[in-house]
Amino acid sequence: MKKKSSPTIEDYLYLLGWLAAAAAAALPSISRLLPPCLFYQISGYYCPGCGGTRAMRALLSGKLVRAACLHPFVPYAAFVYLFFMITQTIERVSRGKLRIGLRYRNCIVWIAVFLIIGNFLIKNILRCYGIPAL
């Protein structure tokens, strides 16, 4: 009898990806209902996520460059998510015959961290010199 292998991190991420897609489809556009950024209100500086909601709106409107300017993490995350879900689905539908599924790599996470921290630093440095952020 063939022993079943234990789930991989890709299995968990794939399931999480479908749950995220279902949640996104089930939720109405709530961005207008979100309260103002508490970090910005208290400190006067942009938080690491500032611009994320506007970037998501721009991305969903097909304005990729604007989304990247508002918050570069958003189009990066969307690309990685779509590429992962598409390649993993093809691999699973082919029952492993087409081994093209994106695998988890630490560098994917480190790029995301770099984009978030970089966005935070650049926007706040520009703010200190009186240059408005998008």
Side-chain angles (χ1 to χ4, degrees):
M1 187 184 290
K2 190 175 183 181
K3 189 175 182 180
K4 189 167 180 147
S5 62
S6 58
T8 64
I9 190 166
E10 287 83 11
D11 294 329
Y12 291 117
L13 290 173
Y14 187 70
L15 176 61
L16 186 62
W18 280 112
L19 292 173
L27 292 175
S29 177
I30 62 167
S31 63
R32 290 172 182 79
L33 303 174
L34 295 174
C37 178
L38 188 60
F39 183 89
Y40 182 77
Q41 284 185 323
I42 291 172
S43 70
Y45 290 98
Y46 299 110
C47 75
C50 274
T53 303
R54 288 175 285 138
M56 184 58 80
R57 276 195 215 133
L59 187 65
L60 293 175
S61 299
K63 300 172 184 169
L64 182 61
V65 173
R66 178 155 174 78
C69 290
L70 289 167
H71 204 303
F73 170 75
V74 171
Y76 172 76
F79 173 77
V80 170
Y81 170 80
L82 288 173
F83 190 75
F84 177 82
M85 293 303 289
I86 290 168
T87 59
Q88 284 289 324
T89 299
I90 291 170
E91 185 171 316
R92 291 161 196 274
V93 168
S94 73
R95 298 182 189 245
K97 291 177 185 162
L98 294 173
R99 301 210 29 93
I100 63 168
L102 179 65
R103 303 288 181 250
Y104 172 82
R105 302 279 186 266
N106 284 337
C107 68
I108 295 170
V109 176
W110 282 112
I111 292 169
V113 169
F114 174 77
L115 289 171
I116 292 168
I117 293 172
N119 180 64
F120 170 72
L121 291 174
I122 290 169
K123 283 185 178 177
N124 285 305
I125 289 169
L126 291 175
R127 186 186 175 286
C128 290
Y129 287 102
I131 303 169
L134 291 177

